[in-house]
């Protein structure tokens, strides 16, 4: 009779993922949730409700309207996700029309409509933030936290889990998106002025990754000592994602010190292309796929983890290029609409390249982080960013129409003279936002999620839990994680010890 550990390992093995379309479809859910949350606050304001709400109300609201739908979408609602998205779209559209008509009781003429539209496109937003980039990074972190525990429950669709060798699972995209999310806001992407030589910056980056190395070692030791189930073909015997993150950051800093930052896209293409050629021509691909003997030394034991680092470096460099573009200061709404269009266009081009690459070379493989995987990760990330940016524009439009600007994690209208009380109120609302709380301590959130995942697996028989129990455990786990991070945010505590 198989042991519990062997059953759990088999449960996450030999999976083939889902379609590109289903992963792309999931990109609409979070933006719709953000719009729904914003519309709820605007309706509350129009009903003469006082904003901001008490801190516990903001926490419950954000958890219920952002994290709860994400948990349900990858569990009990996964098979009807298209209907959920359609329903949210219809409801949000109806509420949006209601607010628009409520603020304009008389039907405007065609001329006044054109003037209103032109006025909106010419309107200005505060340029000291790019909300959809922050939200992208936070949502990747949140979805990762949900998935690393949910995958151990039977209620989590197997097609969403990481694939064995080839395929496109939701968790496969999450791994690549996590790397790209870090690249979007790196100092080079933000054009941050740094002091000292390029060599000193590389040394600084080398020193700064020590927490990731420690976390990688801690995970390695805890997994080996506890007998926790592990999927060896994912990264290898000793390797894990923390080690990958550390090496990618150091390697990328070296490349960015040696080559122009504006050429990051070219480096990404060269690295990804040369790595794919190496996989095909050197026999490396065969060695990774048929690596049944793990006794030939460290490289042999961890061939998947070590070799895939190259692909993740390509993804990181592509993320730097995207960050250079989207983090550029812009104030007019029409400029951000152009950004959305360009992100969609870039995504379409990369998806076309992906389809051609899959047809002529090989399918997507997260295990090897091959060129198709890199193309898919960047294309899907750009599509997701465009969806979130669209949600931002819609929320900004509703803010200007309703006169309610106290919706956090979205653009604020640019005012020539904002009163002290208005600025104070906006900062207070940001201080009560769960998204901002996770953004303040993203690595801590990720660490806490990993810790709670291990504890939950010890306390709960995830393999035999019913759907109801599974969802309850997942929601409790996410609420504990969110509550801890939220309290730190209220206390203005940023845990950064490196």
């Amino acid at each position: 009779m198989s042991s519990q550990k062997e059953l759990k390992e088999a449960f996450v093995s030999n999976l083939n993922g889902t379609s590109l379309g289903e992963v792309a479809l999931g990109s609409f859910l979070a933006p719709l949730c953000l719009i729904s949350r914003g519309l709820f606050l605007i309706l509350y304001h129009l009903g003469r409700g006082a904003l901001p709400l008490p801190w516990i109300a903001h926490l419950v609201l954000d958890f219920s309207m952002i994290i709860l739908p994400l948990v349900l979408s990858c569990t009990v609602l996964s098979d009807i996700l298209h209907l959920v998205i359609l329903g949210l779209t219809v409801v949000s559209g109806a509420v949006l029309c209601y607010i628009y008509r409520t603020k304009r009781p008389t039907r405007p003429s065609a001329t006044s409509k054109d003037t209103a539209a032109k006025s909106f496109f010419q309107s200005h937003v505060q340029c000291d933030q790019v909300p959809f980039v922050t939200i992208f990074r936070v949502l990747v972190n949140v979805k990762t936290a949900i998935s690393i525990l949910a995958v151990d429950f039977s209620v989590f669709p197997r097609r969403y889990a990481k694939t064995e060798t080839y395929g496109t699972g939701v968790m496969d995209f999450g791994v690549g998106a996590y790397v790209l999310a870090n690249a979007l806001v790196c100092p080079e992407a933000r054009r941050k002025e740094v002091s000292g030589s390029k060599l000193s910056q590389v040394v600084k980056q080398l020193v700064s990754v020590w927490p990731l190395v420690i976390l990688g070692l801690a995970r390695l030791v805890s997994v080996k000592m506890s007998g926790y189930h592990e999927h060896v073909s994912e990264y290898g015997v000793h390797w894990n994602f923390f080690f990958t993150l550390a090496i990618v950051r150091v390697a990328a800093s070296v490349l960015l010190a040696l080559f122009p930052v504006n050429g990051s896209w070219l480096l990404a293409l060269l690295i990804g292309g040369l790595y794919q050629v190496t996989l095909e021509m050197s026999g490396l691909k065969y060695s990774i796929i048929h690596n049944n003997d793990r006794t030939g030394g460290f490289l042999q034991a961890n061939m998947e983890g070590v070799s895939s680092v190259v692909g993740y470096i390509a993804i990181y460099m592509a993320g730097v290029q995207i960050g250079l573009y989207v983090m550029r200061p812009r104030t007019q709404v029409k400029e951000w609409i152009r950004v959305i269009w360009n992100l969609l266009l870039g995504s379409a081009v990369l998806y076309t390249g992906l389809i051609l690459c899959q047809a002529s070379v090989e399918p997507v493989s997260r295990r090897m982080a091959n060129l198709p995987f890199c193309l898919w990760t960047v294309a899907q990330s750009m599509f997701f960013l465009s969806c979130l940016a669209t949600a931002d524009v819609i929320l900004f439009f509703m803010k200007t129409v309703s006169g309610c600007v106290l919706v956090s994690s979205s653009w604020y209208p640019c005012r020539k003279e904002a009163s002290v009380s208005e600025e104070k109120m906006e900062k207070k609302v940001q201080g009560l936002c769960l998204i901002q709380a996770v953004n303040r301590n993203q690595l801590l959130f990720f660490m806490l999620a990993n810790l709670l995942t291990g504890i939950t697996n010890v306390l709960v028989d995830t393999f035999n839990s019913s759907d109801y129990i599974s969802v309850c455990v997942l929601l409790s786990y996410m609420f504990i994680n969110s509550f801890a991070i939220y309290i730190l945010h209220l206390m203005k505590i940023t845990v950064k010890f490196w």
Side-chain angles (χ1 to χ4, degrees):
M1 185 176 179
S2 300
S3 67
Q4 189 78 352
K5 179 182 177 181
E6 290 173 338
L7 289 173
K8 287 187 174 182
E9 287 176 5
F11 192 53
V12 294
S13 302
N14 302 313
L15 303 175
N16 299 314
T18 184
S19 65
L20 295 173
E22 186 171 17
V23 178
L25 177 67
S27 300
F28 294 109
L29 180 62
L32 284 169
C33 291
L34 291 166
I35 292 172
S36 301
R37 165 181 167 269
L39 293 177
F40 175 86
L41 289 170
I42 291 172
L43 281 177
Y44 183 81
H45 169 76
L46 295 177
R48 300 296 184 270
L51 291 176
L53 303 169
W55 70 269
I56 188 66
H58 273 286
L59 173 60
V60 172
L61 175 67
D62 285 354
F63 186 86
S64 301
M65 302 199 76
I66 298 174
I67 294 181
L68 173 62
L70 293 178
V71 172
L72 297 180
S73 71
C74 65
T75 52
V76 293
L77 298 181
S78 59
D79 291 333
I80 56 169
L81 183 58
H82 59 293
L83 297 178
V84 173
I85 290 173
L86 179 61
L88 278 174
T89 303
V90 171
V91 172
S92 297
V95 174
L96 193 149
C97 291
Y98 169 77
I99 294 174
Y100 184 83
R101 291 180 179 276
T102 299
K103 299 304 290 182
R104 287 171 173 76
T106 58
R107 188 174 181 83
S109 64
T111 304
S112 61
K113 282 182 180 179
D114 294 340
T115 304
K118 185 176 180 180
S119 176
F120 171 69
F121 290 136
Q122 296 290 344
S123 60
H124 290 71
V125 299
Q126 289 184 1
C127 59
D128 57 344
Q129 59 172 336
V130 184
F132 66 88
V133 172
T134 299
I135 294 172
F136 174 85
R137 298 180 70 242
V138 168
L139 288 176
V140 168
N141 219 325
V142 167
K143 192 66 177 177
T144 300
I146 294 171
S147 299
I148 59 175
L149 178 59
V151 71
D152 293 325
F153 291 94
S154 59
V155 71
F156 186 82
R158 294 300 92 193
R159 66 184 187 277
Y160 284 4
K162 290 178 181 176
T163 55
E164 182 69 23
T165 300
Y166 292 109
T168 52
V170 174
M171 290 186 71
D172 292 320
F173 167 68
V175 175
Y178 197 96
V179 172
L180 188 138
N182 288 333
L184 286 176
V185 295
C186 71
E188 293 84 1
R190 289 183 285 126
R191 296 179 173 85
K192 185 178 179 181
E193 293 293 333
V194 290
S195 58
S197 64
K198 291 184 177 181
L199 179 60
S200 65
Q201 295 305 315
V202 173
V203 172
K204 183 179 178 181
Q205 193 68 255
L206 184 62
V207 173
S208 71
V209 299
W210 71 263
L212 293 172
V213 177
I214 296 298
L215 288 171
L217 291 172
R219 176 174 174 78
L220 173 62
V221 172
S222 62
V223 167
K224 298 301 181 183
M225 291 184 65
S226 65
Y228 185 77
H229 64 278
E230 55 180 331
H231 194 191
V232 174
S233 65
E234 184 177 346
Y235 293 109
V237 178
H238 312 101
W239 202 267
N240 58 58
F241 190 53
F242 289 111
F243 295 141
T244 297
L245 287 175
I247 293 180
V248 166
R249 284 181 58 178
V250 173
S253 68
V254 172
L255 290 172
L256 292 169
L258 295 174
F259 300 98
V261 179
N262 287 329
S264 298
W265 67 273
L266 183 57
L267 280 174
L269 192 59
L270 285 173
I271 293 169
L274 290 174
Y275 176 52
Q276 185 63 48
V277 170
T278 303
L279 285 172
E280 299 291 337
M281 303 296 290
S282 67
L284 179 60
K285 180 199 296 188
Y286 182 87
S287 299
I288 293 173
I289 296 176
H290 302 282
N291 187 17
N292 298 318
D293 181 13
R294 303 278 176 172
T295 60
F298 181 82
L299 289 177
Q300 184 72 24
N302 302 281
M303 189 170 290
E304 295 90 346
V306 175
S307 61
S308 64
V309 166
V310 181
Y312 289 115
I313 292 173
I315 292 171
Y316 190 96
M317 300 307 294
V320 171
Q321 190 70 55
I322 297 170
L324 279 171
Y325 178 66
V326 299
M327 299 296 286
R328 191 182 306 161
R330 299 175 180 86
T331 57
Q332 284 187 308
V333 170
K334 68 177 183 180
E335 293 178 310
W336 286 110
I337 292 176
R338 191 178 299 116
V339 169
I340 295 172
W341 168 251
N342 287 335
L343 285 172
L344 284 172
L345 183 62
S347 178
V349 170
L350 290 175
Y351 262 118
T352 302
L354 169 62
I355 293 170
L356 293 174
C357 204
Q358 289 202 116
S360 59
V361 184
E362 66 175 339
V364 171
S365 173
R366 187 258 330 140
R367 182 177 177 181
M368 292 181 282
N370 60 359
L371 180 59
F373 175 74
C374 297
L375 291 172
W376 175 52
T377 297
V378 180
Q380 175 58 28
S381 296
M382 293 176 75
F383 180 69
F384 190 28
L385 278 167
S386 67
C387 292
L388 293 171
T390 302
D392 257 350
V393 171
I394 293 172
L395 281 176
F396 180 75
F397 175 72
M398 296 315 299
K399 282 183 175 184
T400 57
V401 167
S402 65
C404 174
V405 299
L406 298 180
V407 179
S408 57
S409 293
S410 59
W411 277 306
Y412 288 100
C414 187
R415 293 156 298 186
K416 293 182 179 179
E417 293 183 4
S419 66
V420 175
S421 60
E422 286 177 331
E423 291 182 348
K424 186 177 180 181
M425 190 64 70
E426 289 173 5
K427 288 182 180 179
K428 186 175 181 180
V429 169
Q430 291 285 71
L432 295 172
C433 177
L434 180 58
I435 292 173
Q436 296 299 326
V438 177
N439 184 54
R440 180 189 287 268
N441 287 298
Q442 290 210 41
L443 182 57
L444 181 64
F445 181 85
F446 187 54
M447 289 168 55
L448 185 57
N450 277 271
L451 178 62
L452 290 176
T453 295
I455 294 173
T456 304
N457 269 278
V458 172
L459 298 177
V460 179
D461 181 7
T462 58
F463 190 72
N464 296 306
S465 296
S466 65
D467 290 357
Y468 175 77
I469 295 297
S470 301
V471 172
C472 288
V473 170
L474 283 168
L475 289 175
S476 300
Y477 150 82
M478 285 304 299
F479 187 79
I480 292 171
N481 202 348
S482 301
F483 184 79
I485 294 296
Y486 192 78
I487 294 300
L488 289 175
H489 183 58
L490 291 180
M491 299 172 66
K492 297 181 172 58
I493 295 176
T494 303
V495 180
K496 189 170 182 178
F497 40 85
W498 60 94

